[in-house]
Amino acid sequence: MNINEMSIDGKPNSSITSFLNTTFQTSADLDTDRLKELLAKKRHHQTQLDQELKESKENAQKTLSTILSTANSQQSQLSQVHSELATTKDQLEALHTQLTNGGPNTILLQQLNSVEQKITRLNKAKMYIKTILIASDLRKQAMHYVEEDPEKAIKPYQQIVKFSQLFGSKSLGSDDLAQDLHKRALLLYDDLKNVLSKKFKVCLDELGWPVPIKPPYGLEVRTKLDKFEKQFRNLALLKRPDTEPSDTPVPITIMLDALSLRFRFHFESSKPTNRLDKPEWYFTHVKTTISTHIPFLVTTIQPLITDSLGNEFSAKDLFIDELLKNVARKLKHSMPKLQKRPQWLSHTIHEALDFDKALREDFAYDGGSIAAIMLDDPETYNTWFMAEKKFGQARYDEIAMDSHAYEPIEEDQENIKGSNIGSKPTRIAVKLINLFNSVTETYKSIPRLDQKLDFFLEIQLCLLNQFQNRLTSALDSFETLNLIRSVPVPGTLPDAVVGVMSSADYGGATVALKRLCRWWASARTICNAIDECAVDDHFLELQFQIRNQMETLETLIASKKEKDPSLAFLKVPEPYDKTFLAVTKDGFEQLNKRAEEIMIRVMMKEWASDARPYVISWQLNKKQEDEEEGREQEDELSGELYQPLQTLRLCCNYLSSDLPQADFVGMYRRLSGEIEEWHIRNVVAPNRLNTQELKRLERDLKAGLWKLGRLWVSKPENYMRKLRTTIGSIDSSVSSLV
């Protein structure tokens, strides 16, 4: 057997193998004595190991016996505890049965419970009486000090208030005691307030209140102010137990009593100053009162408020808050009567909005809105809005029905908003702009977006849409009546009757152009006015608010369309970054373009009608005979062109004087293109022109159209390049044939 595979006892042992390999590396190491010595050591070591194993087994057996003995002991104790628990349960059940069935123990237990309840009530009554005695003592102290040193009287009062709050808390909850202390605190508050208020009013009377007190103060006034300031601080520290932090301090309220009485006397009594149709009277009165007392409030009252209540309170705002309570009461009392008189209601709301604006701008007041009292009431707001809408519509109807509505304004153009267009704006456009701006002024101060949109969508955009439809209808009627082209039918009247209407049929070309220019100027005036509105702060802010609430806007528009079919034109602009005003402007710009196209068509009809003999002269083929007779001047113009050129000159002169230069030049360019196409279609295309005929055509153009065109543009021939090229190409081909 290989020694590397087996140990001494016949089992594989890697440690022995390792030992043998390290010990007997050569044949010299195989010494018998050495082997015996090594074997002895191994046997001794094995004996030690066996001894240790034996001792370990004995120790384990002892430990196991100990654990088993302990477990048996604990099990015995547990059995004993179970037995005792069962015995205790039996005793408790027996005692419960005994108590239930009655007996001396039951009477004893009831007596003990009764004694415990009496002790509890006694302790509670003792605490109650002790607290009441302390509160009574504090009240005596407060009433004792209130005459001599009011500042010391405030401290006992504040302690009573803290007592009531303490016993009203959950930790020491005692409802009866808390309520009693609260009543005592209120009674003491009233008593202290009465005493301190009398002293404070005496100081006010010495100062001559409510006559405005303006710094700098003299020595006599300064002495009175010292007493006033002392009493003011005492009253400011005296706070009602159930007061809110935002409530007006007592001294400010007392100071306002005289002013409120004066307000009632003038505006809530039978005095002539109490007029429902004159809300500006009491609004002006309040603003005057604020402005006259602000110096005293800022220099004297504000430091007192800061010392007593902290920096978060403003004497000016507190004073205005109390004054506005009178205005609010007056408005609430007047609203039912104002709803029956829409004009007075509208006037009152306008004045209220201006009043709120004055408070913000003149007095830096950021408190509540007076106008909101009426605007937040649905019935009042709807009455006002419908009155404004009817007024706007009536005013527009009046403007539109004016017989001189489309006459130009002769006033200084620089003083007319939206009229800087190079031509005179019409009366209807300027008046409509003024109406639009007056509506803006009506609602621009309204804080709510939905109410602003009511005015903007239902009044302003509606009026602009009506005017746009009016101009569209005018152009439609003009085009239908004056630009009719009929197709000849066998057996019908001749062309002179049913053909294209001439200028004589509608009063002349200049009359037609005048009407078209007035409509054009009206639309352009509105476009420029819209441009000015687009950069106005009000409309920029309105557009910003609209973009943040697009879903709300869509719902609002759908609701308005459902209620009023006349608002069917309303739709949310697409893309969303486009404004309602931009969409409206696009409509008026389209009207401008359409009016320009109709002007060109009118002038082309006049040209075609007047130039018919000129076309016939080419068609009768008499040009050659005329050329044989010769002309004395090379620049002599064909006689048939005098009339059309004269009509064209009159039309263009009128347009150049009535339209802005840039717009007129654009129209002249398009008109030149139309006349160019007319020459190609009626002169060049139907006739085979020889050299002499081409020279005649070129001479007619240079001495006629192009010479006339230099009255308005520098190089009119550049607007007919196609005709110049056509003449040049035909001339070249004819020359090559010759």
Side-chain angles (χ1 to χ4, degrees):
M1 181 179 294
N2 193 340
I3 195 170
N4 293 326
E5 297 179 355
M6 301 297 294
S7 62
I8 296 175
D9 55 358
K11 297 181 180 180
N13 194 327
S14 59
S15 61
I16 295 177
T17 303
S18 176
F19 170 76
L20 293 177
N21 289 335
T22 56
T23 304
F24 304 100
Q25 296 180 354
T26 60
S27 58
D29 295 331
L30 297 175
D31 186 7
T32 306
D33 295 335
R34 182 175 175 78
L35 288 174
K36 290 180 179 180
E37 181 181 357
L38 292 174
L39 185 60
K41 290 181 179 181
K42 286 294 182 181
R43 286 178 178 174
H44 179 69
H45 181 66
Q46 181 67 32
T47 303
Q48 290 179 346
L49 293 176
D50 293 341
Q51 184 65 28
E52 291 177 358
L53 178 62
K54 181 178 179 182
E55 292 176 356
S56 298
K57 289 181 179 180
E58 291 177 353
N59 292 334
Q61 186 68 28
K62 291 179 181 180
T63 302
L64 183 61
S65 299
T66 302
I67 293 173
L68 183 60
S69 175
T70 302
N72 292 331
S73 176
Q74 291 177 349
Q75 185 177 6
S76 175
Q77 293 176 0
L78 183 61
S79 299
Q80 185 179 357
V81 169
H82 279 292
S83 177
E84 293 176 355
L85 179 61
T87 303
T88 303
K89 287 182 177 180
D90 294 339
Q91 292 176 354
L92 290 175
E93 291 178 356
L95 180 61
H96 179 265
T97 303
Q98 183 180 3
L99 292 175
T100 304
N101 296 332
N105 292 333
T106 303
I107 298 174
L108 178 62
L109 184 60
Q110 292 176 353
Q111 292 177 349
L112 290 176
N113 288 334
S114 176
V115 171
E116 183 180 7
Q117 292 176 2
K118 290 180 180 180
I119 294 174
T120 302
R121 287 196 300 269
L122 182 62
N123 291 333
K124 186 175 181 180
K126 183 179 179 181
M127 181 186 66
Y128 196 110
I129 294 172
K130 184 177 180 181
T131 305
I132 295 301
L133 290 174
I134 294 175
S136 299
D137 184 59
L138 291 174
R139 174 181 172 81
K140 291 179 181 179
Q141 294 179 25
M143 296 306 297
H144 173 72
Y145 289 123
V146 70
E147 295 290 346
E148 300 176 358
D149 191 351
E151 188 174 354
K152 289 184 178 180
I154 303 298
K155 294 181 180 179
Y157 165 74
Q158 292 175 342
Q159 291 179 351
I160 294 179
V161 174
K162 290 181 180 179
F163 268 136
S164 65
Q165 295 174 350
L166 178 65
F167 285 101
S169 62
K170 294 181 179 179
S171 58
L172 296 176
S174 179
D175 294 338
D176 295 338
L177 183 58
Q179 292 177 4
D180 186 88
L181 290 174
H182 183 71
K183 291 179 180 178
R184 291 175 178 271
L186 288 176
L187 290 174
L188 181 58
Y189 168 81
D190 293 335
D191 293 340
L192 294 177
K193 180 183 175 183
N194 291 334
V195 176
L196 295 177
S197 297
K198 290 178 181 178
K199 293 184 177 183
F200 184 69
K201 290 177 181 179
V202 171
C203 295
L204 287 176
D205 293 337
E206 292 178 355
L207 289 172
W209 184 264
V211 176
I213 307 170
K214 298 182 180 180
Y217 309 120
L219 181 61
E220 182 180 357
V221 176
R222 184 69 263 177
T223 303
K224 296 177 181 179
L225 281 176
D226 291 340
K227 295 172 59 179
F228 167 82
E229 291 174 357
K230 182 178 180 181
Q231 297 300 329
F232 188 98
R233 288 191 180 93
N234 294 333
L235 266 177
L237 293 174
L238 184 65
K239 298 180 181 180
R240 187 179 173 88
D242 53 357
T243 185
E244 295 292 335
S246 58
D247 288 349
T248 305
V250 176
I252 297 292
T253 304
I254 295 175
M255 293 176 65
L256 265 296
D257 287 343
L259 297 174
S260 299
L261 181 62
R262 178 185 296 178
F263 187 92
R264 287 190 177 93
F265 177 79
H266 286 291
F267 307 110
E268 297 183 71
S269 65
S270 58
K271 294 297 179 182
T273 50
N274 182 18
R275 290 182 54 177
L276 196 63
D277 61 332
K278 296 293 183 180
E280 61 271 21
W281 287 358
Y282 58 83
F283 285 133
T284 303
H285 169 77
V286 172
K287 288 188 291 185
T288 303
T289 303
I290 296 172
S291 61
T292 54
H293 288 90
I294 272 187
F296 179 66
L297 293 170
V298 174
T299 59
T300 304
I301 303 299
Q302 184 59 53
L304 299 176
I305 292 290
T306 302
D307 293 342
S308 304
L309 305 177
N311 295 322
E312 64 272 14
F313 290 92
S314 168
K316 169 182 63 67
D317 291 345
L318 292 172
F319 184 83
I320 295 176
D321 287 340
E322 287 299 307
L323 272 180
L324 294 186
K325 290 179 180 179
N326 297 295
V327 181
R329 183 182 64 252
K330 169 68 176 177
L331 286 177
K332 290 178 181 178
H333 180 72
S334 303
M335 276 198 300
K337 301 177 182 178
L338 289 173
Q339 290 175 5
K340 300 177 182 179
R341 296 179 177 269
Q343 293 183 350
W344 292 3
L345 174 62
S346 178
H347 177 58
T348 303
I349 293 180
H350 289 167
E351 291 296 329
L353 291 171
D354 292 340
F355 178 73
D356 288 338
K357 182 179 179 182
L359 291 181
R360 292 192 301 269
E361 297 179 356
D362 298 341
F363 306 112
Y365 177 73
D366 57 355
S369 169
I370 286 298
I373 296 175
M374 293 178 286
L375 297 179
D376 291 343
D377 181 66
E379 185 177 358
T380 303
Y381 170 74
N382 290 332
T383 303
W384 173 56
F385 174 70
M386 294 307 299
E388 291 292 339
K389 186 175 181 180
K390 290 179 181 178
F391 172 78
Q393 185 62 50
R395 179 62 182 141
Y396 171 78
D397 294 338
E398 179 184 350
I399 294 171
M401 295 303 294
D402 185 5
S403 58
H404 302 287
Y406 292 95
E407 293 297 323
I409 293 289
E410 300 295 341
E411 299 176 4
D412 185 6
Q413 303 302 311
E414 295 181 357
N415 295 330
I416 303 174
K417 186 176 181 181
S419 64
N420 188 20
I421 59 175
S423 65
K424 296 180 180 179
T426 59
R427 294 176 180 271
I428 187 172
V430 172
K431 290 182 179 180
L432 179 58
I433 292 170
N434 293 335
L435 177 59
F436 184 91
N437 292 334
S438 67
V439 176
T440 302
E441 292 298 324
T442 297
Y443 76 90
K444 68 186 303 183
S445 300
I446 297 177
R448 288 174 51 179
L449 176 61
D450 58 336
Q451 294 178 346
K452 287 183 179 180
L453 289 177
D454 286 340
F455 283 84
F456 179 63
L457 298 177
E458 293 195 39
I459 299 180
Q460 290 184 300
L461 289 187
C462 187
L463 293 179
L464 291 179
N465 182 70
Q466 290 183 55
F467 186 54
Q468 182 177 332
N469 292 337
R470 192 177 188 86
L471 292 179
T472 301
S473 177
L475 291 175
D476 290 341
S477 299
F478 181 89
E479 195 170 18
T480 301
L481 295 175
N482 300 330
L483 298 176
I484 300 175
R485 290 182 178 274
S486 62
V487 179
V489 179
T492 59
L493 295 174
D495 292 343
V497 178
V498 299
V500 178
M501 297 179 66
S502 64
S503 60
D505 297 316
Y506 48 77
T510 54
V511 175
L513 293 177
K514 179 179 179 181
R515 296 170 62 189
L516 291 169
C517 285
R518 297 282 70 80
W519 297 333
W520 183 94
S522 300
R524 178 58 65 87
T525 303
I526 299 299
C527 288
N528 283 329
I530 290 176
D531 287 337
E532 293 189 8
C533 291
V535 296
D536 184 76
D537 291 342
H538 164 71
F539 288 102
L540 289 175
E541 181 182 359
L542 182 63
Q543 181 61 25
F544 176 77
Q545 294 175 339
I546 288 175
R547 288 181 181 176
N548 293 334
Q549 303 185 38
M550 293 302 295
E551 296 181 357
T552 304
L553 178 65
E554 293 178 357
T555 305
L556 181 64
I557 289 179
S559 175
K560 290 182 178 298
K561 287 182 179 180
E562 184 177 355
K563 294 179 181 178
D564 189 354
S566 64
L567 301 175
F569 68 93
L570 289 177
K571 62 179 179 180
V572 178
E574 295 181 1
Y576 283 170
D577 58 349
K578 197 168 187 177
T579 65
F580 284 98
L581 290 176
V583 173
T584 304
K585 180 186 175 183
D586 291 343
F588 283 101
E589 287 180 340
Q590 292 298 323
L591 289 174
N592 278 131
K593 293 179 181 179
R594 185 181 176 191
E596 292 173 1
E597 293 296 331
I598 294 177
M599 292 182 200
I600 294 174
R601 290 173 60 186
V602 167
M603 289 187 287
M604 279 306 302
K605 283 186 2 180
E606 293 303 311
W607 174 270
S609 177
D610 292 342
R612 186 175 298 178
Y614 182 67
V615 175
I616 294 175
S617 68
W618 290 88
Q619 295 175 352
L620 293 178
N621 205 13
K622 293 182 178 181
K623 299 178 291 298
Q624 185 63 33
E625 297 177 0
D626 295 337
E627 293 299 329
E628 290 176 356
E629 294 177 0
R631 297 182 183 272
E632 296 180 358
Q633 298 180 0
E634 293 182 356
D635 58 347
E636 185 177 354
L637 184 66
S638 298
E640 297 84 358
L641 282 178
Y642 284 110
Q643 182 59 40
L645 289 175
Q646 176 67 13
T647 304
L648 181 64
R649 183 181 67 82
L650 292 175
C651 293
C652 290
N653 277 340
Y654 177 79
L655 292 179
S656 64
S657 64
D658 199 71
L659 297 180
Q661 180 64 20
D663 295 281
F664 169 73
V665 171
M667 287 183 59
Y668 183 80
R669 180 183 292 108
R670 284 178 284 167
L671 178 63
S672 298
E674 293 290 335
I675 295 177
E676 181 183 52
E677 292 294 333
W678 181 89
H679 276 81
I680 294 175
R681 186 172 60 253
N682 293 281
V683 177
V684 178
N687 305 295
R688 301 185 63 181
L689 304 181
N690 55 32
T691 304
Q692 296 299 327
E693 293 169 344
L694 289 174
K695 288 182 178 180
R696 177 194 173 189
L697 178 59
E698 186 176 6
R699 183 170 60 250
D700 289 342
L701 291 173
K702 289 181 178 180
L705 284 172
W706 296 345
K707 181 179 180 180
L708 181 64
R710 289 187 179 89
L711 295 174
W712 310 294
V713 296
S714 58
K715 293 183 179 181
E717 60 273 14
N718 289 341
Y719 300 153
M720 295 186 179
R721 291 180 179 178
K722 186 176 180 181
L723 187 59
R724 289 174 58 189
T725 304
T726 302
I727 294 175
S729 62
I730 294 177
D731 192 10
S732 300
S733 61
V734 171
S735 299
S736 63
L737 290 175
V738 173

